[in-house]
Amino acid sequence: MALAAIVWSLAASACSNGTSPTSPTTVVVANTTPIAPTTPSGPTLTGGLGFSMPLTAADAANTAFGLAPFGYHGADHADTGHPGWDIEYRAGGQVRAAADGTVLSVTADAASAGRATVEIEHSAGQHFYRTIYTNLASLTDDVKVDAPMVRGQVLGIAGTVTEAVGATPATYAMSHFQVDDFEFYAGSLANPNAVSPELILTAEGRALFDAIWPLATYAHELAEPFATNPRSAAFPLTRVWRLESGEGPAGISFTQQSAKSTGYEFAILAESGTAVEAGAVTLRYASRPLQTIDLVAATSVRLGVYDIVDDRMRLALGVQGAARPADLSSAAVYRTTRAR
């Protein structure tokens, strides 16, 4: 909604160094200028070759996370960032070839005993790509080295995984999907040819991605919210979200101190950018139907629910001592900028 002036009462204010909370204050939020959405940069379609999603809409699922993006950092990808997408499938869902090509290899999966990894080579003239599909619980009979593959051909069944998603044990099916572009080289990073699939999807692939991605939820969203995040990000990593519309603080920053941890610290910001409240974040990001967030400061706890899609966060945040909002009907909209 248009915002002329909204008064947000906070139970803290900045001290002289602008970082530590001291006494109550009131923050007046004036009109904000919308932040235009941005698109990722990097390799794009070459020679007419594009990639489909490695599944059909009927095999997509979102009981645990939906889709874990390119470039995010965490315990398994702390040093070099995630080199592909992890895609959730329904139980028994079929993993499919993303483009025409030839099977390069069929090997035992490095991370999951009894599972397989398939690599397929693709070409557009003299421009060569490779796609990688992991955690296949079974393979179709025609998936053999040097065998031709056509777009959409079934490679096998996505394997199931049982692990904690946030604080909740979950069983789900998934496969890691990676695109390597051999005209691209990321230097010293592991998987140096890996590029984000987001940039090289066909129109049909993009339509399916656009249906899946808005439902994704994962631990890294507060600081790495995009389907394509920089693999070279440095930590501590801070992302600032600025109020675009609705009632709430003028801004909120979230800092992920370590690439190996998904623990966050927060700071509520006045319009000037001064921190007026700070503390730790507790997330239940795999909760359904909404993710919940607790902002825990020294003298206050604020409970909220949120939803993030790329550079847009909807956040319904209660004032100190209030119950958690039941839905996003009262949510303010925050925007962030994409690092280029």
Side-chain angles (χ1 to χ4, degrees), residues 135-182:
N135 197 44
L136 300 175
S138 63
L139 298 173
T140 57
D141 292 340
D142 48 1
V143 177
K144 299 179 174 64
V145 174
D146 294 331
M149 292 284 115
V150 298
R151 185 188 305 275
Q153 185 169 345
V154 176
L155 305 178
I157 303 300
T160 57
V161 175
T162 299
E163 64 179 5
V165 178
T168 306
T171 298
Y172 56 90
M174 62 78 62
S175 178
H176 172 82
F177 173 56
Q178 181 172 325
V179 179
D180 289 344
D181 179 349
F182 292 101

Side-chain angles (χ1 to χ4, degrees), residues 40-53 98-99 122-125 127-129 131 151 177 179 181 183-184 195-206:
S41 58
T44 54
L45 290 177
T46 300
L49 180 64
F51 294 89
S52 301
M53 294 289 285
H122 316 270
S123 63
H127 195 131
F128 290 93
Y129 298 87
T131 52
R151 185 188 305 275
F177 173 56
V179 179
D181 179 349
E183 295 295 317
F184 173 80
V195 297
S196 173
E198 183 183 12
L199 300 164
I200 47 180
L201 292 172
T202 62
E204 167 267 333
R206 183 76 201 193

Side-chain angles (χ1 to χ4, degrees), residues 5-334:
I6 289 177
V7 178
W8 178 268
S9 297
L10 299 174
S13 69
C15 67
S16 58
N17 64 9
T19 59
S20 302
T22 53
S23 57
T25 189
T26 296
V27 175
V28 178
V29 180
N31 286 330
T32 56
T33 302
I35 299 171
T38 57
T39 55
S41 58
T44 54
L45 290 177
T46 300
L49 180 64
F51 294 89
S52 301
M53 294 289 285
L55 77 169
T56 63
D59 281 338
N62 197 316
T63 60
F65 62 91
L67 188 151
F70 182 89
Y72 80 84
H73 295 75
D76 295 336
H77 307 288
D79 296 327
T80 62
H82 191 214
W85 286 344
D86 290 343
I87 300 175
E88 187 178 347
Y89 289 70
R90 68 169 179 83
Q94 297 175 325
V95 180
R96 297 171 181 266
D100 297 351
T102 303
V103 177
L104 274 176
S105 67
V106 180
T107 58
D109 192 281
S112 303
R115 306 289 169 81
T117 292
V118 174
E119 298 184 355
I120 300 177
E121 182 182 66
H122 316 270
S123 63
Q126 296 301 308
H127 195 131
F128 290 93
Y129 298 87
R130 172 176 60 193
T131 52
I132 302 173
Y133 315 78
T134 74
N135 197 44
L136 300 175
S138 63
L139 298 173
T140 57
D141 292 340
D142 48 1
V143 177
K144 299 179 174 64
V145 174
D146 294 331
M149 292 284 115
V150 298
R151 185 188 305 275
Q153 185 169 345
V154 176
L155 305 178
I157 303 300
T160 57
V161 175
T162 299
E163 64 179 5
V165 178
T168 306
T171 298
Y172 56 90
M174 62 78 62
S175 178
H176 172 82
F177 173 56
Q178 181 172 325
V179 179
D180 289 344
D181 179 349
F182 292 101
E183 295 295 317
F184 173 80
Y185 183 67
S188 61
L189 290 179
N191 297 284
N193 305 113
V195 297
S196 173
E198 183 183 12
L199 300 164
I200 47 180
L201 292 172
T202 62
E204 167 267 333
R206 183 76 201 193
L208 181 53
F209 166 78
D210 286 344
I212 292 172
W213 175 240
L215 303 177
T217 176
Y218 54 99
H220 316 272
E221 275 188 292
L222 297 182
E224 297 183 290
F226 301 103
T228 303
N229 300 286
R231 293 178 65 200
S232 58
F235 289 80
L237 178 62
T238 297
R239 178 163 296 280
V240 176
W241 297 83
R242 296 288 185 185
L243 183 66
E244 180 179 76
S245 65
E247 185 172 349
I252 306 176
S253 70
F254 296 104
T255 298
Q256 187 178 344
Q257 290 291 345
S258 167
K260 295 183 179 180
S261 170
T262 52
Y264 291 97
E265 297 170 357
F266 78 91
I268 289 179
L269 308 176
E271 194 170 13
S272 64
T274 301
V276 295
E277 185 172 321
V281 178
T282 300
L283 294 177
R284 281 169 289 279
Y285 58 86
S287 59
R288 295 292 190 269
L290 289 172
Q291 301 88 263
T292 69
I293 184 169
D294 302 349
L295 303 184
V296 183
T299 58
S300 69
V301 176
R302 302 178 191 280
L303 308 179
V305 291
Y306 71 100
D307 177 62
I308 295 173
V309 182
D310 288 322
D311 63 352
R312 182 176 184 265
M313 174 171 64
R314 291 185 297 159
L315 174 65
L317 186 64
V319 297
Q320 179 181 348
R324 189 185 310 279
D327 53 39
L328 289 169
S329 60
S330 63
V333 174
Y334 289 82

